[in-house]
Amino acid sequence: MKKITAERIKDAVKEACLSIQYRYSPKMEETLNSYMNKEESGLAKNILKILLENSDTASENRLPMCQDTGMIVVRMTIGQEVQIVDGSLRDAINQGVREAYDVGYLRKSIVDDPIFDRKNTKDNTPAIIYTDIADGDEINIEVAAKGFGSENMSALKMCKPSEGLNGVRQFVLDTVKKAGPNACPPLIVGVGVGGTMDYAAVLAKKALFREIGEENPDERYAKLENELLSEINELGIGPQGLGGKTTALGVFIEHYPTHIASMPVVVNINCHMARHTKVVLK
């Protein structure tokens, strides 16, 4: 049995929370450059150029790329041969978030009660934590900082099975149209299909952890992702909603078996920063 300390988990989460705030991933910078070079609109091209310059400036000055430093979402896949020792898993994750947002001078955005008090917790905790069990003796930790300008424009629809592929396609397009400039395009669009109402949302969030350019292993879904990306970019919303060909940079779909009577679909929208990273503890 492999023993991994809570302290190692805390340190890994802390470093992940900091590292994702200061620069796009190399693949995202490459993608933004590619779209910038394809833009015909001078305004759209200039906005994408400014986004890339912002990433450079943030990295050089160790400042966050955006004032909304997000709510932390942690996805952990824990090997069944791992024993977590010397502390609580949940406490370790939240302590890592707490320390990162303190030393990084990151904006604390979390309120305790969602309806009544809405008092700031003043340390950006608690995080959203998902865990899964797998074979093996290591822990895979994925960390994302999810901004809420885009989160607020996400949506759920309990589609009828008879709506089929066209129903899913139309719902994705309608959700992006409704989001317009409010989700800070260019976007990453996560789609969860299947399971139950709640699990479709988990799938949509999981989709946002994929790296830009990553293809769906199922050819049918890969084709649908590419078609939706093209259709979204034909909407003309463009960077920051000011027009152009670059409304989205990627569409990622995750699916799961569901009941014969339903087809839950969730669209979870992310902005262009797509702040997430992965670390493996062995």
Side-chain angles (χ1 to χ4, degrees), residues 226-258:
N226 288 326
E227 289 172 351
L228 281 168
L229 179 60
S230 295
E231 290 169 14
I232 288 169
N233 283 330
E234 288 170 5
L235 296 174
I237 296 168
Q240 301 301 291
L242 295 174
K245 294 183 173 183
T246 314
T247 298
L249 303 169
V251 177
F252 300 132
I253 304 172
E254 294 289 329
H255 61 96
Y256 195 80
T258 192

Side-chain angles (χ1 to χ4, degrees), residues 4 9 76-79 82-84 89 137-141 279-282:
I4 294 178
I9 294 169
M76 297 188 68
T77 304
I78 305 170
V82 172
Q83 180 183 6
I84 297 168
L89 174 61
D137 61 355
E138 59 187 39
I139 298 179
N140 186 314
I141 306 173
V279 60
V280 178
L281 299 182
K282 299 181 179 181

Side-chain angles (χ1 to χ4, degrees), residues 104-159:
Y105 299 102
L106 304 175
R107 193 184 84 181
K108 287 84 170 176
S109 305
I110 308 307
V111 296
D112 54 5
D113 183 276
I115 297 177
F116 298 105
D117 298 328
R118 291 193 69 87
K119 291 181 181 177
N120 198 300
T121 63
K122 299 183 179 179
D123 59 9
N124 221 65
T125 68
I128 303 296
I129 303 170
Y130 297 104
T131 59
D132 199 3
I133 302 297
D135 294 335
D137 61 355
E138 59 187 39
I139 298 179
N140 186 314
I141 306 173
E142 295 177 279
V143 176
K146 188 64 175 71
F148 269 61
S150 56
E151 189 77 0
N152 285 342
M153 303 313 297
S154 302
L156 158 75
K157 183 178 181 183
M158 301 302 289
C159 289

Side-chain angles (χ1 to χ4, degrees), residues 79-239:
Q80 61 184 11
E81 301 301 321
V82 172
Q83 180 183 6
I84 297 168
V85 297
D86 299 335
S88 154
L89 174 61
R90 185 171 296 276
D91 289 348
I93 292 170
N94 283 319
Q95 184 60 25
V97 174
R98 186 176 291 116
E99 291 183 11
Y101 275 71
D102 181 32
V103 301
Y105 299 102
L106 304 175
R107 193 184 84 181
K108 287 84 170 176
S109 305
I110 308 307
V111 296
D112 54 5
D113 183 276
I115 297 177
F116 298 105
D117 298 328
R118 291 193 69 87
K119 291 181 181 177
N120 198 300
T121 63
K122 299 183 179 179
D123 59 9
N124 221 65
T125 68
I128 303 296
I129 303 170
Y130 297 104
T131 59
D132 199 3
I133 302 297
D135 294 335
D137 61 355
E138 59 187 39
I139 298 179
N140 186 314
I141 306 173
E142 295 177 279
V143 176
K146 188 64 175 71
F148 269 61
S150 56
E151 189 77 0
N152 285 342
M153 303 313 297
S154 302
L156 158 75
K157 183 178 181 183
M158 301 302 289
C159 289
K160 299 179 181 68
S162 60
E163 293 180 70
L165 173 59
N166 287 335
V168 174
R169 186 192 302 273
Q170 194 59 53
F171 177 58
V172 174
L173 293 173
D174 287 347
T175 301
V176 173
K177 285 180 191 175
K178 184 177 179 181
N182 296 320
C184 201
L187 311 171
I188 308 296
V189 182
V191 182
V193 184
T196 55
M197 177 195 73
D198 55 309
Y199 197 64
V202 173
L203 291 171
K205 184 71 73 191
K206 177 183 178 182
L208 294 180
F209 280 81
R210 281 166 57 186
E211 181 57 90
I212 191 74
E214 185 179 336
E215 288 233 331
N216 197 302
D218 187 316
E219 290 183 2
R220 300 167 302 170
Y221 283 90
K223 181 173 181 287
L224 178 58
E225 289 172 349
N226 288 326
E227 289 172 351
L228 281 168
L229 179 60
S230 295
E231 290 169 14
I232 288 169
N233 283 330
E234 288 170 5
L235 296 174
I237 296 168

Side-chain angles (χ1 to χ4, degrees), residues 14-33:
K14 176 182 177 180
E15 179 53 36
C17 287
L18 290 168
S19 67
I20 58 180
Q21 296 286 352
Y22 304 125
R23 190 169 200 109
Y24 290 123
S25 71
K27 186 65 177 175
M28 180 60 77
E29 291 188 349
E30 179 185 321
T31 301
L32 281 165
N33 264 303

